[in-house]
Structures are given as structure tokens and as C-alpha cells.
Amino acid sequence: MTVEPDLSRLDRLSRGVHDRAAGHRDDPDWLDRAWKRSRVLVLTTEMTTAVDETGAGPRLLLRPPDDADTNPLRLYLGEHEGTPYFAVLGERGLSADRWAGLLHVGAELNDLDAGLLTEAVALAQWHLRHPRCSLCGEPTGVHRAGWSRRCPADGTEHWPRTDPAVIVLVHDGHDRCVLGRQASWPTGRYSILAGFVEPGEPVEAAVVREVAEEVGIAVTDLRYLGSQPWPFPSSLLLGFTAQVRGDPTLRLAGSELEDARWVRREEIRSGEGVLMMPRPVSIAHRIITDWLSAG
């Protein structure tokens, strides 16, 4: 059965329309031929890429392979309408309207570009952070068109990691929700609560635990809303709403949050007390705006 996603309901980094075509990753001859007719996305080690401004908005400035920097880290991203796409690490050697990172430009890109850049950033960061075998410490080599690394000493194969995290809008069943802020965020920015799923923990239990740990309240009526890749560097955000159960008094624990508060819909709409919403590129933005629209 083929399921076609409703792209209008997907979060900004979940809108990829290209075919990852994983069956080609183990075919070096096909990959060599595909490289010669491909379009290449060049990433710097800071995870910025060349962007051109067009009448339809920003677009990735993809290069023909002859113009791409030669780099052994060649990542096969997939195909779209017969065109293969690769990513490599390189320098800012190409004239462009601007060089931007996924966090800053992802919400403005079209579906194809957003999907390619999200995939490339996630994969490239894994390679940069995991150059050695976790068992013996030897340097590993790029394998399967960039989708694994292999240790030449003990033969083990290592795969890209994805860390699941829950992100939850806690509400009171009426007109208030909980927003919190970290001290490192820009002044005035608040968002919904989030935290990583721990080993051996179901995601539903992670929602309950994270809310209790961060703001000291119990929740019920968990509702799953969807997911979003968040390659900063390797998370998958699982979105929920939950309703407070019992005492709604917020009690901050630890140092993760600088502040947390119950906020009414009208306060968010008007900007009173909450000056900045989460970036439009994030699933948090969509969860909050959906909740605002429901009341």
C-alpha cells in the first residue's frame, strides 16, 4: 500500500519529496555513473550551504559534479524526476546570494530543497562526529554511499544514529498552555516542553517523565501529533499534546529551564509577555499555532 503524505500538514523539515532510492547505495558502478549527471549540494563544516534568492523564494544553489569540491565524503541523497543528488563537504568557493544553515533557511525552501538539505545535514554531521570505530577506536571508512562507516581493523559496520525526543504542549483543557524558556535562547523566546527519550523507555512514558522533571506537574490524555527530523545534530522530534492532571502549580527543577509559565491563548496572539514564538522551521511552532486555532 502506498501512502501519500499531505505535505500541507507536514512540518517544514518533514516535506522531502525525493526518492532516497536506497537500493543504489550498494552499487558502486551505478553511483559512479550517477555522479557524472548529478546535482551536488556542498556543505561547509559549519553546515551552511549556498542559497540563491529567486522570485519563488530561496533555492539551494546546487552544483554540477565538475564544480563540486573533491572530497572522499560523498553522500548519495537520492533521486527526483530522474536527477541524482549528492552532498559533499567543501568550502565557500562559489558565488551565491548568501550562505545559510538549515535552521535559518529551512522554513523558506521548497519541498525538494528542504528534504535534501535536512537529509544532507543529518548525514554529514554524523560522519563528522563519528570518524572512529566505537569498539576499537580505529579510523573508519565511508561505506554504502555515505550511509554507513566500516572499521578496517575489526570489520564492524556503523550506522547513522537518530535520537528520539518528545516535544509536548501541556494545556489545562481550556485556554492555557505551558511555555518555558532556556537561558541560552534569545530574550523573550518561549516554547513548549521537550526532552530526549531514555534507553528502554516508551515515548508515552517519556512525555510524562519530562513534564514532571521540568515543571513538576502530572499529565494525562496524551495525543500524538506527528514527527519532525531535527538534525541539530541527530534528533527526531515526536510531537504531543497532554492535559494537566491535578495541581497545575509549576515547579522548576534543575537548571534546564530558566522560566516556565501558564500562558493564555490571547497572550500568545497579542505577544503580551511572550515576545517570540519558536522559529517557523520547528514542529513547536506548528503545535502552538494549531492549538491557538482550536480555541
Side-chain angles (χ1 to χ4, degrees):
M1 180 178 67
T2 300
V3 177
E4 295 292 339
D6 178 3
L7 295 179
S8 68
R9 293 298 305 144
L10 292 178
D11 294 292
R12 302 301 178 91
L13 302 187
S14 304
R15 297 172 293 132
V17 294
H18 65 286
D19 181 359
R20 296 192 175 203
H24 293 310
R25 296 172 187 171
D26 291 311
D27 188 341
D29 292 337
W30 185 93
L31 290 166
D32 285 341
R33 295 193 301 271
W35 170 258
K36 295 174 183 177
R37 59 185 178 89
S38 69
R39 304 299 290 175
V40 183
L41 190 164
V42 177
L43 287 171
T44 69
T45 54
E46 294 79 27
M47 296 297 111
T48 62
T49 193
V51 176
D52 269 358
E53 301 295 344
T54 73
R59 294 295 305 271
L60 298 181
L61 184 53
L62 301 172
R63 308 185 192 188
D66 289 344
D67 290 343
D69 295 349
T70 301
N71 190 300
L73 185 58
R74 182 187 295 179
L75 311 175
Y76 174 59
L77 303 178
E79 296 179 280
H80 184 65
E81 297 180 347
T83 300
Y85 291 91
F86 288 80
V88 298
L89 291 178
E91 303 296 330
R92 294 191 181 193
L94 184 68
S95 176
D97 291 340
R98 59 172 164 147
W99 284 76
L102 179 62
L103 189 62
H104 297 94
V105 77
E108 305 173 68
L109 296 173
N110 65 21
D111 296 336
L112 175 61
D113 284 1
L116 291 171
L117 185 55
T118 301
E119 179 184 357
V121 167
L123 200 53
Q125 288 193 115
W126 174 72
H127 281 282
L128 290 175
R129 289 167 176 259
H130 298 84
R132 292 180 176 272
C133 177
S134 60
L135 296 180
C136 71
E138 285 294 314
T140 52
V142 179
H143 189 54
R144 300 191 74 242
W147 284 90
S148 71
R149 298 185 70 92
R150 178 173 286 175
C151 178
D154 59 30
T156 55
E157 196 163 355
H158 305 269
W159 304 88
R161 62 178 296 163
T162 297
D163 303 317
V166 294
I167 183 163
V168 54
L169 182 144
V170 178
H171 61 89
D172 65 357
H174 300 288
D175 195 46
R176 298 189 304 163
C177 75
V178 176
L179 296 181
R181 63 168 277 105
Q182 297 181 14
S184 60
W185 291 355
T187 302
R189 174 161 289 158
Y190 281 75
S191 187
I192 54 181
L193 307 179
F196 286 104
V197 180
E198 294 186 344
E201 182 180 45
V203 294
E204 298 85 354
V207 170
V208 175
R209 174 185 56 77
E210 282 290 341
V211 172
E213 288 179 356
E214 291 192 0
V215 295
I217 59 176
V219 293
T220 187
D221 191 23
L222 276 61
R223 300 187 181 186
Y224 175 68
L225 304 176
S227 65
Q228 179 191 48
W230 193 248
F232 306 108
S234 57
S235 299
L236 176 67
L237 300 180
L238 308 170
F240 289 84
T241 61
Q243 185 170 335
V244 65
R245 175 171 57 85
D247 184 1
T249 304
L250 303 181
R251 304 175 183 86
L252 296 185
S255 58
E256 185 169 350
L257 292 181
E258 178 186 65
D259 184 34
R261 62 182 69 174
W262 284 101
V263 183
R264 297 188 180 278
R265 282 187 172 94
E266 188 52 39
E267 291 181 73
I268 300 175
R269 293 190 183 108
S270 67
E272 296 176 7
V274 180
L275 302 179
M276 284 196 296
M277 288 269 284
R279 296 176 186 270
V281 74
S282 71
I283 190 175
H285 189 278
R286 194 260 293 178
I287 292 174
I288 294 173
T289 54
D290 282 358
W291 179 77
L292 291 175
S293 300

